[in-house]
Amino acid sequence: VQNNQPPDILNLNVYASYAKDGLLWSADDVLSDAAKNDLLDAFVKSGTYQGKLYGMPDLSSARAFFYNKDLFAKAGIAAPPKTWAEFEDAAKKITALGNGTVGYAMPLGPEEAQGEFSIWTFNNGGDWKADGKWTINSAKNIETLTFMKKLAVEDKVTHNNPGKTNRADAFDLFKSGKAGMVVGFSPLAGALDADKKVNYGVAPMPTKDGGAPQTFGVTDYLMAFKKPGNQEAVKAFYDLYYQKDQVNTFIKKEGFLPVTKSGLEVFAADPKLKVYLDTLPNIHLTPTDDPTWDKIKLAVQQNIGAATAPNGDPKAVLDGLQKTAETTS
């Protein structure tokens, strides 16, 4: 793209900076009304920049709370936690079992630190933006990151160096039976079902005060670059991709979740997906409709994990990210 050699269609999880630069076809130009009307509203909203849909969602995932039923039973924990206090208590009891077992696998490394933090702060009433302004260093976000540091440093209920641990490593720890809890998604469930080594359950996220859980979601986008003579070909591709038997078959084979209203109906036949599907229409996403989010996300991935080190300062880290966001926007 920088060398003025863009693809016709790009699959990526950010799009708005390209839309801002006028490089993309909008849905008005290349997407049929039938396909657009079938898209879930939450993903249309996240794919819309300045009133036009540029980021066409191609698949989604929603995060949920995974717990090891056998470790819960050994630690005398009756049910998955609904509040942060219950979560902290459960994590301590599981860690106390010993033999290298940790209460919680917390990936705040550079792979997807923004996802792990989002999950926790959304369930404390925090967010990245509010009323069009960046709120990275809000009181709620500072409270959340301070709690996450406490889990690692004071409570010692996580593995070593959560600020350098990536999601795949956290998943591996849970799959080995050495972590009591982790935030995961449907592909993790698929891997656990295939391995048949861990007796696990899936539940909504615990919230600070036990209120209604927020579900963090992710979608990738198909975006089409304006190139001479490619508009009809792009339209034909989208017409094919968003046929119900095409899009839903592809997403199901890949182990992800639907992006369409018709997909919700198709996937509803699988009871294991209910905990995710129920949340999709009101899913909470990161601000991908902001052209600067891709740069801010990178800063978050590289820096936020440092707050959970013994000498880490959650407020200072978030203040620095807030400054980055304000100067980048």
Side-chain angles (χ1 to χ4, degrees), residues 77 83-94 155 157 181:
I77 305 164
T83 66
W84 285 9
E86 291 176 359
F87 169 85
E88 193 172 8
D89 181 63
K92 289 177 179 178
K93 288 178 177 176
I94 292 167
D155 297 342
V157 296
M181 299 171 281

Side-chain angles (χ1 to χ4, degrees), residues 51-216:
K52 288 196 172 185
L53 176 63
Y54 292 97
M56 318 328 171
D58 67 333
L59 52 77
S60 73
S61 68
R63 303 300 190 257
F65 185 77
F66 284 63
Y67 63 100
N68 184 314
K69 290 183 176 181
D70 292 339
L71 292 180
F72 266 52
K74 287 180 183 177
I77 305 164
K82 294 184 178 179
T83 66
W84 285 9
E86 291 176 359
F87 169 85
E88 193 172 8
D89 181 63
K92 289 177 179 178
K93 288 178 177 176
I94 292 167
T95 303
L97 294 173
N99 296 319
T101 301
V102 301
Y104 181 61
M106 183 165 69
L108 272 179
E111 179 192 359
E112 207 197 24
Q114 83 287 352
E116 180 72 9
F117 181 69
S118 292
I119 291 157
W120 284 98
T121 202
F122 290 171
N123 282 288
N124 188 30
D127 212 332
W128 299 100
K129 295 181 77 174
D131 300 323
K133 295 182 179 179
W134 291 102
T135 57
I136 298 175
N137 63 345
S138 69
K140 291 288 189 183
N141 288 353
I142 293 170
E143 182 182 38
T144 299
L145 194 54
T146 301
F147 174 72
M148 297 176 81
K149 179 187 176 181
K150 183 174 185 287
L151 295 174
V153 177
E154 294 180 36
D155 297 342
K156 293 183 171 29
V157 296
T158 71
H159 42 83
N160 293 330
N161 296 322
K164 296 181 179 179
T165 301
N166 285 327
R167 182 179 62 182
D169 299 318
F171 285 179
D172 285 345
L173 192 62
F174 187 82
K175 288 190 288 185
S176 73
K178 290 295 186 179
M181 299 171 281
V182 72
V183 174
F185 57 163
S186 50
L188 173 60
L192 290 166
D193 292 343
D195 291 346
K196 293 183 171 57
K197 294 179 181 177
V198 175
N199 179 22
Y200 73 97
V202 183
M205 276 296 292
T207 65
K208 171 75 188 308
D209 57 4
Q214 289 277 307
T215 300
F216 169 65

